[in-house]
Amino acid sequence: MAATTVYKEPAPRVDAENPLESMMSRFNVATEILGLDDETYNVLKAPDKQIIVHIPVTMDNGKVRVFEGYRVVHNTILGPSKGGIRYDKNVHLDEVKALAAWMTWKCAVVDIPYGGAKGGIICDPTTMSAGEIERLTRGYTLAMKDVFGPDRDIPAPDMGTGPREMAWLMDEFSKTVGATSPAVVTGKPLVMGGSLGRTEATGRGVMVSALAAMKKLGMDPKQTSAAVQGFGNVGSWAAKLLSEQGVKIKCISDVSGAYWNENGINIDEAVAYKNVHKGRLDGYTGATLMDNADDLLTSEVDLLVPAAVEDVITEHNAHDIKAKLIVEGANGPTAASADPIINEKGIMVVPDILANSGGVTVSYFEWVQNRQGFKWSEDMVTERADRIMNEAFEKVYATSQKYNIPMRIAAYVVAIDKVAQTYKFRGGF
Ligand code: GLU
């Protein structure tokens, strides 16, 4: 149950460009291209609702600690809202608002019947025991019991969460409604209604959209080198699947640093190393540790895949990027101030709301399977997800050609147009 602490609006982030502002500046450009009327603009601009909760958790030392959690529902015009839950010490309400809006645009770009939402809890899961994380997750679920629901708002994993947390969430929600309710959350373990192909789905979508972009640019995957920032779920799968296509992954990184190997890193080996070293690459010897991890972004590679956090490509380093193609595995890795520099340099960007939408697409398949009570084969999941990714890529590419605009703005144009048209038919909700 949420505690009654009085909430104070956090000060805006000063360390980095505010992701909400980055999102809004692209939104504004796209709505102008579309000539969106004021009414629809105002409806789409602000989140539908923001819920702030304070969750008391008994820690292992017997003391109660109160955690602050958020759920922002940006929009439900296309359907129930969808989006992950982030556990991180840097979670910030403005960030969650931006991430929720990106979910709306992401679902619209791939044409799945969902609105957008995002959740977050300010916590450091790396310093918490499994029991503490379980109590936190169950407390958050209880606090959000009237927000979540298979037809209302469907959470999923994001940074710091995974199948384990989704299982607790599903169990706690099911208890509150008195019936097993698998479709309330996606990204569950396979044995309890998860979908085959969900774990690798985001990384796979990054690979599929990177291949589609390489084709347009006349790049041969076998002659392409890449750097992948972030070696969590998205980055490691993207690196593995790209390397299976012949791309030479020269650089990978995680919180422990960036690792370079001119001859290409053996990704299976790096993943195996990480799996037995608490999920980190510290001490990995298959590549050389770089002096400065940020140099990954400006290294001599053809393809750059930022798959870690927001705002890593900025006006300060964009000038030095050597890659011809950027495929955004993370949400919001490029600050809006870097866009003009990247465009000026003629770098193609497959933007986050397109490139990383493979995750939510297979989440949608999971939800459909839960509602059908019927499990799909892995081939069926992969074939359908790849088709959706390729169709979305072609639609965004055609829009960028039609208006002579970068792929990022084209993706917003496609998404906003879909939501705005639906709003016109539906009327307000
Ligand atoms: N957290 C993921 C994202 O940012 C997945 C969301 C989902 O599957 O609902 O796209």
Side-chain angles (χ1 to χ4, degrees):
M1 193 91 69
T4 51
T5 322
V6 178
Y7 174 67
K8 211 168 121 275
E9 184 87 17
R13 280 157 65 122
V14 286
D15 54 329
E17 192 159 330
N18 183 313
L20 186 62
E21 283 166 14
S22 271
M23 189 282 294
M24 280 312 292
S25 71
R26 279 87 174 238
F27 173 77
N28 287 336
V29 175
T31 53
E32 240 167 69
I33 291 169
L34 280 168
L36 201 71
D37 60 273
D38 284 354
E39 178 192 325
T40 318
Y41 176 88
N42 287 328
V43 167
L44 301 185
K45 186 178 81 167
D48 287 359
K49 58 183 168 192
Q50 307 168 39
I51 299 99
I52 300 162
V53 293
H54 292 93
I55 313 146
V57 175
T58 306
M59 306 302 279
D60 292 348
N61 64 7
K63 292 212 163 68
V64 171
R65 215 178 120 189
V66 181
F67 291 85
E68 183 157 298
Y70 311 108
R71 185 73 178 167
V72 175
V73 174
H74 173 258
N75 194 283
T76 55
I77 289 171
L78 295 187
S81 49
K82 187 85 190 78
I85 303 169
R86 181 169 288 199
Y87 286 5
D88 189 77
K89 51 185 187 307
N90 295 318
V91 163
H92 186 282
L93 183 57
D94 271 356
E95 177 196 36
V96 182
K97 280 193 217 172
L99 290 161
W102 279 322
M103 287 310 301
T104 302
W105 312 136
K106 208 183 287 191
C107 294
V109 166
V110 281
D111 203 7
I112 57 178
Y114 288 140
K118 201 82 175 197
I121 302 179
I122 306 171
C123 65
D124 183 358
T126 61
T127 61
M128 293 167 71
S129 70
E132 290 170 342
I133 299 175
E134 174 171 0
R135 294 191 286 282
L136 177 64
T137 305
R138 289 185 184 277
Y140 178 76
T141 307
L142 263 187
M144 297 294 177
K145 71 178 183 9
D146 297 326
V147 179
F148 296 157
D151 289 305
R152 281 197 303 262
D153 179 37
I154 307 134
D158 197 77
M159 255 168 63
T161 59
R164 181 183 70 164
E165 287 73 18
M166 301 307 115
W168 290 326
L169 194 155
M170 188 277 234
D171 183 65
E172 194 64 30
F173 184 85
S174 296
K175 279 187 206 157
T176 72
V177 294
T180 297
S181 185
V184 69
V185 60
T186 60
K188 298 180 293 294
L190 259 184
V191 290
M192 54 179 286
S195 178
L196 289 162
R198 176 63 186 86
T199 310
E200 58 271 46
T202 313
R204 185 171 177 89
V206 168
M207 179 272 285
V208 169
S209 49
L211 289 193
M214 283 187 224
K215 209 163 174 188
K216 299 287 182 203
L217 296 172
M219 289 163 73
D220 174 1
K222 296 192 174 58
Q223 304 296 325
T224 297
S225 59
V228 179
Q229 185 190 44
F231 212 60
N233 172 277
V234 181
S236 61
W237 275 103
K240 177 178 161 64
L241 297 170
L242 280 166
S243 70
E244 283 174 7
Q245 297 297 318
V247 174
K248 190 183 276 184
I249 313 291
K250 289 189 174 177
C251 193
I252 57 175
S253 73
D254 71 1
V255 283
S256 71
Y259 301 80
W260 177 274
N261 185 336
E262 184 58 33
N263 300 320
I265 294 171
N266 181 330
I267 300 299
D268 285 335
E269 216 178 78
V271 170
Y273 183 90
K274 162 189 124 151
N275 288 343
V276 292
H277 288 84
K278 297 189 181 140
R280 292 170 58 128
L281 290 166
D282 297 86
Y284 176 61
T285 51
T288 315
L289 182 67
M290 291 167 81
D291 291 340
N292 182 355
D294 289 342
D295 290 346
L296 173 144
L297 298 165
T298 52
S299 59
E300 287 285 351
V301 288
D302 308 306
L303 163 65
L304 178 61
V305 180
V309 289
E310 293 108 72
D311 285 332
V312 293
I313 299 174
T314 65
E315 58 193 309
H316 305 296
N317 58 13
H319 286 289
D320 299 322
I321 292 177
K322 318 275 184 320
K324 302 189 264 289
L325 172 63
I326 299 174
V327 181
E328 298 183 334
N331 291 308
T334 307
S337 57
D339 286 351
I341 303 166
I342 289 170
N343 298 336
E344 179 78 9
K345 286 171 72 96
I347 301 170
M348 186 195 262
V349 178
V350 185
D352 46 7
I353 56 173
L354 171 60
N356 72 36
S357 57
V360 74
T361 299
V362 177
S363 272
Y364 167 57
F365 295 164
E366 180 174 332
W367 179 81
V368 170
Q369 292 171 72
N370 293 156
R371 308 198 77 159
Q372 285 181 325
F374 177 72
K375 212 168 178 64
W376 300 2
S377 69
E378 190 165 354
D379 283 351
M380 198 155 152
V381 171
T382 309
E383 187 257 314
R384 289 180 173 180
D386 289 359
R387 179 159 25 104
I388 286 182
M389 290 303 297
N390 278 313
E391 281 172 6
F393 181 92
E394 290 304 333
K395 197 163 179 184
V396 171
Y397 187 77
T399 305
S400 81
Q401 300 284 301
K402 179 177 164 196
Y403 293 101
N404 194 21
I405 50 177
M407 288 285 282
R408 184 187 309 285
I409 300 300
Y412 277 78
V413 166
V414 167
I416 295 167
D417 190 38
K418 158 108 188 162
V419 180
Q421 280 195 44
T422 311
Y423 173 71
K424 291 235 153 50
F425 279 114
R426 272 185 86 155
F429 174 56

